Amino acid sequence: MDGSVDAVVVGSGPNGLAAAVTLAAAGLRVLVIEGAAEIGGGCRTQELTLPGFWHDVCSAAHPLALASPFFQRFGLAARGVTLAEPEIQFAQPLDGGRAGVVTRSVAATAERLGADGPAYRRLFGPLTDRCADLCADLLGSMRRVPAHPLTLAGFGRRAVLPASVVARRWHGPEARALFAGAAAHAMMPLTRPPTAGVGLTLTTLAHAAGWPVVVGGSARITDAMADAVRAAGGTIETGRWVKSLAELPAARAVLLDVSPRSLDALAGDRLPAGYRAALRRFRYGPGICKADFALSGPVPWANEDCRLAGTLHLGGTFEEIAAAAAEVSAGRHPERPYVLVVQAGVADPTRAPAGRQALWAYCHVPSGSTADMGEAIEGQIERFAPGFRDLILARSIRTAADTEAHNPNYVGGDIAVGTQSLRQTLLRPAARLNPYRTPARGVYLCSSATPPLPGVHGRCGELAALTALGDIFDVREPPDISPA
């Protein structure tokens, strides 16, 4: 590149890179600037504990990568990215060696739930059958008339509810706990809307697409995206933290994979006072405390099915998980937190030396917490896997404050880049007809603070890039981003 560019993308997370892929595929000269020493944002893989143990820095299981229209067009498999699916998509261990488990089959999952099975099948059977249509609308801008209005309406009438309301259809602990574990990804009390929508979406994806891990680590996704940008003539610069838009080279379009707080700081007076006020009203959710473990062997889960699960939600019954979520929302650290665990090695043995395991886990904590929750995380794993502590060779702990320090997008350690309240789900980051277009000409927001929702799907970046292509470059048709 000769120094002149058409578009600059700040931030190289999945959304920033999706924007760059889209712009470069349209023939633009693109420059990506990343503050960290390596690309990827929350989609990176590092040896966080011991040599040979590869841990995903943030995102680990990837149902949305399979469901995403962007990645379906991008062609991950054709670009050398292998998604490995565990036999059990996710599991919810309970005391006494019991567990609820979700497999790809709705019928097989329902059969394990006894008397709750028919109600489970009635809910998730139709959603799974229509998942492709549902994702086409859910993974959109939230501002257009849906392509499948009846399907979306049927989903939406339950999705807008609190998880605690939808969970009433089940009476046994396994089914209720399974739904709590999925819904608690919302990082809100389960008595608030639309936590049911998070649980419904993630469980439906488990049946329709699976919850795979990436062979070799999540970084393989962003590496493939970066390769595509470079192959199209784009440039990626790392180790450069941008503090103001004035620091950027001249370009007709600037796309920012940043939080609303950072957008306000970067653009400053280029934004009108009303829009800046809206950015400052944007609310962030709780943070996470993350623990990575190098283990001498597989986790000895008391329930045998849990040993086959890629992802596990720990915390016990629906009521226990709901109580932990309420504690965090109130600014307290639960003694028994809700813990997410990913044991990538059940589907990808390359993550650790033979016979050993790299384990990924985190729990929710109040925003900005500096508390080391490693002991509490270990306690919850030990509760359902007696003997776990005896396997630990090394551990790495990152508090919520550490999480923000490593990635400023994660304000207070909030990896969702904004609370998923009903209003902020529909109108993030502000109430505008186009959520990606800022009032500053040529400046666009493309982070997870824009629709459709958090996760590794690339749609925030792609939709922002398509907006910029139409506004600035008079490109009306989406460019071909396929490997061909």
Side-chain angles (χ1 to χ4, degrees), residues 92-96 184 313-328 332-340 362-365 373-385 389:
Q92 181 87 20
L94 296 168
D95 293 322
H313 302 134
L314 311 185
T317 63
F318 185 101
E319 290 72 20
E320 288 180 277
I321 292 174
E327 285 278 288
V328 172
R332 297 186 290 268
H333 296 81
E335 290 185 15
R336 282 188 161 185
Y338 163 73
V339 177
L340 287 87
Y362 72 69
C363 71
H364 297 159
V365 294
M373 295 290 286
E375 184 65 27
I377 291 172
E378 289 180 24
Q380 286 289 61
I381 300 175
E382 182 78 21
R383 172 183 173 186
F384 301 108
R389 285 192 170 102

Side-chain angles (χ1 to χ4, degrees), residues 202-246:
L202 291 176
T203 306
T204 299
L205 286 171
H207 291 305
W211 280 28
V213 297
V214 181
V215 174
S218 295
R220 299 295 176 88
I221 293 177
T222 43
D223 286 346
M225 297 170 79
D227 288 345
V229 172
R230 295 188 182 104
T235 301
I236 299 175
E237 181 181 342
T238 59
R240 177 182 172 188
W241 291 105
V242 177
K243 301 187 182 301
S244 167
L245 296 186

Side-chain angles (χ1 to χ4, degrees), residues 92-116:
Q92 181 87 20
L94 296 168
D95 293 322
R98 297 173 300 158
V101 301
V102 171
T103 68
R104 284 295 295 275
S105 167
V106 174
T109 300
E111 187 176 352
R112 296 171 183 254
L113 297 176
D116 284 326

Side-chain angles (χ1 to χ4, degrees), residues 19-372:
V21 165
T22 304
L23 296 168
L28 302 188
R29 295 165 297 176
V30 179
L31 170 64
V32 179
I33 301 176
E34 168 59 50
E38 62 181 8
I39 65 164
C43 196
R44 292 179 290 144
T45 307
Q46 297 177 337
E47 291 175 303
L48 297 175
T49 54
L50 295 174
F53 289 82
W54 291 96
H55 305 271
D56 290 323
V57 170
C58 186
S59 57
H62 294 280
L64 286 168
L66 289 171
S68 166
F70 171 82
F71 282 122
Q72 289 171 1
R73 291 190 295 272
F74 182 70
L76 287 172
R79 296 180 187 272
V81 180
T82 301
L83 295 170
E85 188 177 318
E87 183 174 335
I88 290 174
Q89 306 305 319
F90 67 85
Q92 181 87 20
L94 296 168
D95 293 322
R98 297 173 300 158
V101 301
V102 171
T103 68
R104 284 295 295 275
S105 167
V106 174
T109 300
E111 187 176 352
R112 296 171 183 254
L113 297 176
D116 284 326
Y120 186 95
R121 188 183 297 107
R122 285 194 299 271
L123 178 60
F124 287 109
L127 289 176
T128 300
D129 291 342
R130 297 168 190 152
C131 187
D133 292 344
L134 194 58
C135 286
D137 288 324
L138 289 180
L139 293 177
S141 68
M142 303 289 184
R143 302 293 197 274
R144 294 180 179 273
V145 176
H148 308 280
L150 294 180
T151 297
L152 189 62
F155 170 80
R157 67 187 178 87
R158 297 186 182 96
V160 298
L161 298 172
S164 57
V165 173
V166 172
R168 292 173 189 165
R169 68 181 52 233
W170 303 296
H171 303 286
E174 286 84 0
R176 288 173 55 80
L178 277 175
F179 193 64
H185 281 256
M187 301 174 75
M188 293 192 298
L190 300 188
T191 51
R192 291 186 190 170
T195 49
V198 175
L200 292 170
T201 300
L202 291 176
T203 306
T204 299
L205 286 171
H207 291 305
W211 280 28
V213 297
V214 181
V215 174
S218 295
R220 299 295 176 88
I221 293 177
T222 43
D223 286 346
M225 297 170 79
D227 288 345
V229 172
R230 295 188 182 104
T235 301
I236 299 175
E237 181 181 342
T238 59
R240 177 182 172 188
W241 291 105
V242 177
K243 301 187 182 301
S244 167
L245 296 186
E247 300 175 12
L248 300 178
R252 295 175 66 187
V254 174
L255 288 85
L256 303 171
D257 184 6
V258 302
S259 70
R261 176 188 291 182
S262 294
L263 170 60
D264 182 29
L266 287 168
D269 292 341
R270 289 186 60 177
L271 300 173
Y275 185 75
R276 295 187 74 182
L279 296 180
R280 292 168 184 173
R281 288 193 299 269
F282 188 82
R283 295 291 174 244
Y284 300 91
I288 65 165
C289 179
K290 184 165 181 285
D292 290 284
F293 301 96
L295 304 178
S296 61
V299 180
W301 302 106
N303 181 277
E304 292 287 340
D305 287 333
C306 291
R307 302 182 184 193
L308 303 174
T311 301
L312 299 103
H313 302 134
L314 311 185
T317 63
F318 185 101
E319 290 72 20
E320 288 180 277
I321 292 174
E327 285 278 288
V328 172
S329 180
R332 297 186 290 268
H333 296 81
E335 290 185 15
R336 282 188 161 185
Y338 163 73
V339 177
L340 287 87
V341 173
V342 175
Q343 43 188 22
V346 301
D348 175 19
T350 71
R351 297 295 188 94
R356 301 191 172 189
Q357 189 175 92
L359 195 71
W360 175 106
Y362 72 69
C363 71
H364 297 159
V365 294
S367 178
S369 168
T370 59
D372 179 341

